[in-house]
Amino acid sequence: MKDVKRPALEGNVAVRDGRRLSFAEYGSPRGPAIVWMHGTPGARRQIPLEARAYAVEHGLRIIGIDRPGIGSSTPHLYPTLVDWTADLVLLLDALAVDTVRLVGLSGGGPYVLAAGAALPERVEGVAVLGGVAPVLGPDAAAGGIIQLARWLSPLLRAGRVPIGVALTQLIRLARPVAGPGLDLYAAVQPPGDKNLLARPEFKAMFLDDLLNGSRFQTTAPIHDLILFTRDWGFTLADVRVPVRWWHGDDDHIVPFHHGAHVVDRLPDATMHVIDGESHLGGLGIAEEVLSTVMSLQGLARS
């Protein structure tokens, strides 16, 4: 398996209520900052190797953040998605980041949209890769597998701690066969994701992120599912910064029409269709995503 270098810098930042958020940095420590929000499940190292190399070549600073309940981030269930942005402000201040751009994959999409809504004075622009759509309120999108989480939400809320412990133990037991296990998962995916996961550098990145992020805890995916099926605390009309959205037209996890639905309701958004790709397709075009998001200049420059 291809070797994956450790991040140049990893650590923890103190946030509200005595909690901490853990992070990893790639690229230039003094370059323009991009916060990369992982999918569900995922952790701070879920950043394509091509993106890391692009950051080095172009002098960019990519910051991956562990959401509460994964990696070294203190477990915590936010009351709403938008509440996480108060922790983001503290992390940006601690890392001496003034303005920022954000990239969110899948379950990271709602988090970067929340930042665009709550922090227009600091967010230059947002990129979303196959992001999750709201399931409640006027912005709700119909159908999709996320509806299952909506019906299971009471169970997830009641059992989030024991479920998280069980997930962590299961991953620990599966560590010796993690590689073959990922191969089995890839074998039943649509062609786009299957081909991506067959690439040694992507397989190595996913395994490194999964095994590193889940060493201590795995409640973050449960928290994500609960938050996605609540009111997000903001509307899509509140996201006034520019958003660029990539979505595979063969996405089997977040339907393409969910992405189109959200883009139609955002004040400044453009859809980029990834022909023939499925849910992870945006990870395969990381250089295009980074180049595009770096060209965005939002209200922070006004």
Side-chain angles (χ1 to χ4, degrees), residues 58-220:
H58 294 270
L60 306 179
R61 180 185 186 188
I62 298 181
I63 304 167
I65 302 175
D66 283 330
R67 291 201 278 279
I70 199 72
S72 300
S73 289
T74 309
H76 177 68
L77 178 61
Y78 294 110
T80 62
L81 267 166
V82 76
D83 187 61
W84 100 276
T85 62
D87 285 346
L88 175 62
V89 167
L90 295 174
L91 184 141
L92 294 177
D93 289 346
L95 298 181
V97 174
D98 183 14
T99 60
V100 69
R101 296 165 175 87
L102 298 100
V103 178
L105 167 70
S106 185
Y111 287 87
V112 300
L113 291 176
L119 308 173
E121 73 284 356
R122 299 189 74 163
V123 174
E124 298 281 12
V126 167
V128 179
L129 314 178
V132 173
V135 298
L136 291 178
D139 292 325
I145 197 171
I146 191 65
Q147 295 295 336
L148 178 60
R150 180 182 177 186
W151 294 114
L152 292 176
S153 184
L155 175 62
L156 295 175
R157 287 197 302 270
R160 60 190 176 93
V161 174
I163 293 172
V165 171
L167 283 173
T168 303
Q169 294 300 324
L170 181 62
I171 292 172
R172 286 175 179 170
L173 291 173
R175 288 179 73 92
V177 292
L182 185 61
D183 291 338
L184 286 174
Y185 172 81
V188 297
Q189 299 308 297
D193 283 4
K194 182 184 297 184
N195 293 336
L196 191 68
L197 291 169
R199 291 166 56 177
E201 70 274 18
F202 275 94
K203 180 178 178 181
M205 180 272 290
F206 275 112
L207 288 174
D208 175 66
D209 179 66
L210 173 67
L211 298 179
N212 177 73
S214 61
R215 283 185 300 165
F216 308 115
Q217 53 180 337
T218 322
T219 56

Side-chain angles (χ1 to χ4, degrees), residues 3-60:
D3 291 332
V4 178
K5 292 183 180 179
R6 293 188 60 181
L9 176 67
E10 286 186 294
N12 301 292
V13 168
V15 292
R16 296 170 296 167
D17 305 320
R19 295 179 290 107
R20 65 182 181 272
L21 287 181
S22 47
F23 69 94
E25 284 199 12
Y26 301 91
S28 171
R30 290 173 292 276
I34 300 169
V35 164
W36 191 292
M37 293 301 290
H38 59 78
T40 305
R44 63 182 181 265
R45 296 185 184 181
Q46 196 186 73
I47 299 170
L49 302 191
E50 287 90 341
R52 305 178 193 186
Y54 186 92
V56 172
E57 181 180 355
H58 294 270
L60 306 179

Side-chain angles (χ1 to χ4, degrees), residues 180-257:
L182 185 61
D183 291 338
L184 286 174
Y185 172 81
V188 297
Q189 299 308 297
D193 283 4
K194 182 184 297 184
N195 293 336
L196 191 68
L197 291 169
R199 291 166 56 177
E201 70 274 18
F202 275 94
K203 180 178 178 181
M205 180 272 290
F206 275 112
L207 288 174
D208 175 66
D209 179 66
L210 173 67
L211 298 179
N212 177 73
S214 61
R215 283 185 300 165
F216 308 115
Q217 53 180 337
T218 322
T219 56
I222 309 303
H223 295 163
D224 279 354
L225 294 176
I226 294 170
L227 289 173
F228 298 160
T229 56
R230 288 178 175 174
D231 184 292
W232 289 4
F234 67 97
T235 67
L236 296 177
D238 295 330
V239 185
R240 294 178 291 141
V241 303
V243 177
R244 301 298 177 260
W245 193 291
W246 284 261
H247 214 115
D249 60 6
D250 191 31
D251 195 326
H252 63 307
I253 294 178
V254 179
F256 178 82
H257 78 266

